[in-house]
């Protein structure tokens, strides 16, 4: 996989533009909720399928981007489809490597990135939440959908940075192996999952019993009780919760109807007829 990226690094750099331009996401993005159910696929990457719908989305995206850049006559339709397929494969590889390498984008990074997009800033260059929501609404894009797409773009950019700056740029597997063997790093601490090594260990029965006798308290089962119901008061846990500003905004957006203020009218005096209330007395 990594060697494939090395062989195609020029294409990776060439197509990066389509992955990181915010206006592309804003104007041509699409959400998972808009995807129709489909079982057709055009390619498989390490067992993961690329659907025909996703492929056609890339075709549309590249065509729209070329039009916006004023390059409508440079590529034929077949060349655009070829680029779309390469981009779909490359995007899938990015997602797979991000999961494999544990690369992700935090909420803080996502918020900072969105706040730096000029389209969402006021005349003073400060992020404007009303402008942000209004512009997304005008383009029929839900904030959660836009934020998810931005998060994916940032994660892909991180993966690309790792590839670009990696010390393992060898052209062959042998050179890659030698590079890894000669590479050194200063490690202050190391953590690992013991479960990953259980199959490689065959402890003796006597050793297991001796270990158990020395650590009985660690294996003591705590007292258990069957509870029919539990009552708690949310007010008692308020001090333990510190939601972020974005979490508060998101909760408000999803529950606006609960915070609507009923129409109010100021009345100086009321007149009524006593005959209207005779039946109630």
């Amino acid at each position: 996989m990594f060697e494939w990226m090395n062989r195609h690094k020029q294409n990776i750099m060439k197509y990066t533009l389509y992955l990181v331009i915010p206006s592309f996401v804003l104007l041509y993005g699409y959400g998972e909720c808009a995807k129709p159910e489909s079982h057709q696929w055009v390619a498989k990457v390490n067992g993961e399928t690329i659907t025909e719908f996703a492929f056609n989305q890339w075709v549309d995206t590249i065509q729209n981007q070329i039009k916006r850049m004023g390059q409508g006559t440079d590529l034929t339709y077949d060349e655009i489809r070829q680029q779309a397929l390469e981009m779909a494969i490359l995007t899938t590889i990015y997602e797979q490597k991000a999961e494999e390498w544990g690369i992700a984008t935090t909420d803080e990074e996502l918020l900072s990135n969105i706040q730096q997009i000029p389209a969402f800033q006021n005349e003073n260059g400060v992020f404007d939440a009303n402008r942000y929501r209004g512009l997304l609404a005008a383009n029929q894009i839900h904030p959660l959908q836009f934020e998810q797409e931005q998060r994916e773009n940032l994660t892909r950019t991180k993966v690309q940075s790792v590839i670009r700056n990696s010390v393992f740029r060898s052209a062959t597997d042998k050179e890659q192996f030698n590079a890894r063997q000669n590479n050194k790093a200063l490690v202050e601490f190391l953590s690992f999952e013991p479960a990953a090594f259980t199959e490689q260990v065959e402890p003796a029965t006597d050793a297991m019993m001796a270990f158990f006798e020395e650590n009985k308290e660690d294996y003591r089962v705590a007292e258990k009780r069957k509870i029919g119901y539990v009552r708690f008061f949310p007010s008692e846990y308020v001090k333990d919760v510190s939601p972020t500003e974005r979490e508060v905004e998101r909760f408000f957006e999803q529950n606006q109807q609960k915070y609507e203020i009923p129409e109010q009218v100021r009345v100086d005096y009321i007149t009524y007829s006593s005959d209207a209330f005779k039946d109630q007395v």
Side-chain angles (χ1 to χ4, degrees):
M1 181 67 70
F2 199 89
E3 184 176 356
W4 184 94
M5 291 183 176
N6 280 326
R7 293 200 306 268
H8 295 78
K9 59 184 177 182
Q10 291 184 349
N11 287 337
I12 292 176
M13 299 301 114
K14 178 180 178 181
Y15 300 141
T16 301
L17 178 66
Y18 298 112
L19 294 175
V20 299
I21 297 180
S23 59
F24 147 66
V25 179
L26 179 61
L27 297 177
Y28 303 108
Y30 61 92
E32 294 295 327
C33 59
K35 293 183 180 179
E37 184 178 359
S38 175
H39 299 287
Q40 298 178 338
W41 55 273
V42 296
K44 285 188 177 182
V45 181
N46 295 326
E48 182 176 347
T49 60
I50 298 175
T51 65
E52 184 178 4
F53 178 82
F55 168 70
N56 290 332
Q57 285 289 336
W58 272 113
V59 173
D60 294 340
T61 295
I62 295 177
Q63 286 180 320
N64 291 328
Q65 195 65 22
I66 290 176
K67 290 179 181 178
R68 295 181 66 245
M69 298 173 64
Q71 300 177 0
T73 60
D74 289 346
L75 298 176
T76 66
Y77 183 68
D78 289 340
E79 290 174 333
I80 291 176
R81 286 175 61 85
Q82 180 62 32
Q83 288 195 8
L85 180 59
E86 292 180 3
M87 286 305 303
I89 293 174
L90 183 59
T91 301
T92 303
I93 292 175
Y94 277 150
E95 293 173 351
Q96 292 175 351
K97 300 311 290 185
E99 181 177 358
E100 178 183 344
W101 294 340
I103 298 176
T105 298
T106 65
D107 292 341
E108 291 74 15
E109 291 172 327
L110 175 63
L111 178 60
S112 176
N113 177 266
I114 293 178
Q115 290 178 339
Q116 293 176 17
I117 297 178
F120 303 141
Q121 298 176 351
N122 58 25
E123 57 277 2
N124 298 322
V126 179
F127 176 76
D128 188 330
N130 292 329
R131 184 189 295 261
Y132 168 71
R133 288 190 289 267
L135 190 55
L136 292 184
N139 287 275
Q140 297 182 345
I141 301 176
H142 193 279
L144 296 180
Q145 168 193 336
F146 177 75
E147 292 167 10
Q148 179 60 28
E149 292 172 346
Q150 286 293 93
R151 187 188 299 274
E152 293 173 356
N153 286 340
L154 291 173
T155 301
R156 285 195 292 264
T157 300
K158 290 183 179 181
V159 174
Q160 182 192 14
S161 178
V162 172
I163 297 172
R164 185 174 57 247
N165 299 322
S166 175
V167 296
F168 305 132
R169 292 182 175 272
S170 304
T172 65
D173 292 339
K174 182 177 180 180
E175 291 175 348
Q176 289 183 6
F177 177 77
N178 292 335
R180 291 187 178 95
Q181 290 295 97
N182 297 327
N183 187 59
K184 298 180 180 180
L186 177 62
V187 179
E188 295 182 359
F189 67 90
L190 178 66
S191 63
F192 62 91
E193 290 291 337
F197 301 92
T198 54
E199 296 182 356
Q200 305 176 26
V201 178
E202 296 182 1
T205 303
D206 294 342
M208 293 177 60
M209 293 302 300
F211 179 84
F212 175 75
E213 292 296 332
E214 295 176 0
N215 301 273
K216 277 186 176 181
E217 292 302 320
D218 295 338
Y219 296 93
R220 186 180 298 278
V221 179
E223 181 181 358
K224 297 181 180 180
R225 295 187 181 184
K226 184 176 180 181
I227 300 177
Y229 66 91
V230 176
R231 182 182 180 185
F232 68 94
F233 300 93
S235 58
E236 297 179 358
Y237 300 90
V238 172
K239 62 180 182 302
D240 300 326
V241 179
S242 300
T244 64
E245 181 180 352
R246 181 59 196 135
E247 290 174 338
V248 174
E249 291 182 358
R250 182 177 300 176
F251 179 82
F252 174 75
E253 292 172 355
Q254 297 175 346
N255 301 272
Q256 290 189 28
Q257 67 279 5
K258 297 181 180 180
Y259 299 94
E260 293 181 356
I261 300 177
E263 182 179 359
Q264 299 181 1
V265 179
R266 178 177 178 179
V267 179
D268 293 328
Y269 63 90
I270 299 177
T271 61
Y272 62 91
S273 172
S274 58
D275 294 337
F277 297 93
K278 286 182 178 179
D279 295 339
Q280 304 179 26
V281 177

